Structures are given as structure tokens and as C-alpha cells.
Amino acid sequence: MSSPDPAPGLRELKKQRTRQTLSETAVRLFMERGYDNVSVAEVAAAAEVSKPTLFRYFAAKEDLVLHRFADHEDEAARVVAGRGDGEAPLGALRRHFLEGLRRRDPVTGLCDHPAVLAYQRMLYGTPQLVARLYGYQERSERVLAEALGGSPVRARIAAGQIVATQRILAEENVRRIVAGESADELEAAAVSTAEEGFRQLGEGIGRDYG
């Protein structure tokens, strides 16, 4: 039996806290004043660090906003790798997405908490952030393809279809909530749409991963 991963040391904990503080400070300023109206230098000053220090934690201004997506980059891959005996990859991903809808996970788009809505409006209303988000999704595709296994090309194509489907499902939920529907009102439709999305995936890639 392998030993559990060691707890992070004090230095690593300090880095994590600094990274979180920088991201939270940036998102707050961007939502208050608009993404384009706040400079990286202003974020650094508000977080009481130097601009070079900020760039040691975040390579680009966009990453200050998209930091919270980094924790989800390998989520689909982890779901596939950790699925139960006899459970197909696509079945595990479908189950995980539906569970996310039920618990109002912001990643599914089915979340009407005011802070989440404000963040999503800023994200999807800023072209630079949307463009950068695709980079995170490409990395999600790569690690998911590795978890799926099999032919590298077929796995990469399947991973691309899965990630795109989940993104479209989430974006549709966000669109409807921003338009005025509550998460509770939308849940049944969101579940139905997710079922249809995964059904279509099953028809396309089910022979290998369904």
C-alpha cells in the first residue's frame, strides 16, 4: 500500500496563499472597475507585492482571472481514472456532470449565486479571457486523452468532443441564468440537455469509450 501524499510544507502553503490572494484581489478589482480598466501593476499594489513577484505566480494578466479553472484542468481525466470497476469512461463522465448539476457546481454553469454570476459575466464578456480559456481546455483535452488510452488519435478526438460538449452545456446554462432564469427553474432542462449531449457523445465515441 502506498503512503499518503505528504502535507505541503510551510513554503508551499505560503505560495498557495499568495497565489490565492493575488487572484482574489485581481478578480475583485476587475469586477469593480472592468477588466480593461485595471493594470497588472494596480493588482500587484493592491495585493502588496511587486509587479515582478506577481508575474512569478501568473504568466499573464488573464491567468489572474482563470486561476480557478486550473484546478479543473484534469478533472475529467481524474473522473475517468477513478471510475468504478466495469464503468465506462463516458458513463463516469456523464454521472459526474449530472452530480455537478445537482450540487450547483459553477463549472456546470448551473449556479445563480450573485458572486458566481458576476464572475461569469466578466469572463464571457471579455474576449481576451475567452481566448485564454481555450488554452486551459486544450490542456484538459490532452490529459483526458491520456486517461482514455487506446489509439492516441482516437483518444484525442474523443477527448476534444467530450470537453467541447461539457463546455457547450455549461455555456448554455450560464446564458439562460444570465437571461433571468434561476438555477432551480433551469435544473430539469439542464439535466435533459446534458443527457442529450452525452447521448450524442455515446453515438459518436461509444464503441471505444461508452
Side-chain angles (χ1 to χ4, degrees), residues 125-204:
T126 308
Q128 304 99 299
L129 295 175
V130 173
R132 188 76 170 185
L133 181 59
Y134 282 112
Y136 282 76
Q137 292 169 341
E138 287 174 3
R139 290 190 287 275
S140 293
E141 290 176 13
R142 286 198 296 271
V143 294
L144 176 56
E146 293 173 3
L148 290 172
S151 163
V153 174
R154 292 179 72 85
R156 186 67 188 274
I157 291 172
Q161 290 176 307
I162 291 166
V163 170
T165 297
Q166 294 188 143
R167 172 181 58 80
I168 291 168
L169 292 172
E171 288 178 353
E172 175 63 11
N173 291 336
V174 170
R175 182 191 68 78
R176 293 182 63 169
I177 287 179
V178 169
E181 294 183 65
S182 71
D184 289 344
E185 292 170 339
L186 181 56
E187 181 177 12
V191 169
S192 177
T193 303
E195 294 279 20
E196 174 62 17
F198 278 93
R199 184 188 66 78
Q200 291 186 34
L201 279 173
E203 291 176 353

Side-chain angles (χ1 to χ4, degrees), residues 24 30 47 64 69 78 83 93 98 104 124 139 143 188 210:
E24 290 176 352
F30 294 155
L64 286 160
F69 279 88
R78 284 187 279 109
R83 69 190 188 277
L93 290 165
L98 293 175
R104 302 294 189 265
Y124 292 107
R139 290 190 287 275
V143 294

Side-chain angles (χ1 to χ4, degrees), residues 2-202:
S2 60
S3 60
D5 293 335
L10 291 177
R11 179 175 296 181
E12 183 59 31
L13 286 173
K14 184 177 179 180
K15 287 181 179 179
Q16 291 174 5
R17 286 196 294 267
T18 300
R19 189 174 178 85
Q20 189 69 25
T21 297
L22 285 167
S23 178
E24 290 176 352
T25 300
V27 169
R28 174 176 57 79
L29 291 174
F30 294 155
M31 289 198 295
E32 287 175 356
R33 295 162 50 190
Y35 178 81
D36 292 327
N37 299 324
V38 179
S39 69
V40 171
E42 289 174 305
V43 173
E48 300 182 338
V49 302
S50 67
K51 187 175 175 181
T53 295
L54 184 149
F55 279 122
R56 285 203 296 270
Y57 287 90
F58 295 96
K61 180 181 178 181
E62 293 87 350
D63 293 332
L64 286 160
V65 176
L66 297 172
H67 164 59
R68 58 193 64 184
F69 279 88
D71 292 337
H72 296 278
E73 277 188 353
D74 64 346
E75 184 171 326
R78 284 187 279 109
V79 170
V80 169
R83 69 190 188 277
D85 293 339
E87 186 175 27
L90 195 56
L93 290 165
R94 169 188 168 277
R95 172 179 51 77
H96 182 75
F97 192 87
L98 293 175
E99 289 172 352
L101 291 175
R102 283 192 290 271
R103 66 175 182 268
R104 302 294 189 265
D105 188 335
V107 172
T108 69
L110 192 66
C111 182
D112 53 9
H113 189 284
V116 172
L117 283 176
Y119 174 84
Q120 290 171 335
R121 287 190 183 99
M122 176 188 63
L123 171 61
Y124 292 107
T126 308
Q128 304 99 299
L129 295 175
V130 173
R132 188 76 170 185
L133 181 59
Y134 282 112
Y136 282 76
Q137 292 169 341
E138 287 174 3
R139 290 190 287 275
S140 293
E141 290 176 13
R142 286 198 296 271
V143 294
L144 176 56
E146 293 173 3
L148 290 172
S151 163
V153 174
R154 292 179 72 85
R156 186 67 188 274
I157 291 172
Q161 290 176 307
I162 291 166
V163 170
T165 297
Q166 294 188 143
R167 172 181 58 80
I168 291 168
L169 292 172
E171 288 178 353
E172 175 63 11
N173 291 336
V174 170
R175 182 191 68 78
R176 293 182 63 169
I177 287 179
V178 169
E181 294 183 65
S182 71
D184 289 344
E185 292 170 339
L186 181 56
E187 181 177 12
V191 169
S192 177
T193 303
E195 294 279 20
E196 174 62 17
F198 278 93
R199 184 188 66 78
Q200 291 186 34
L201 279 173

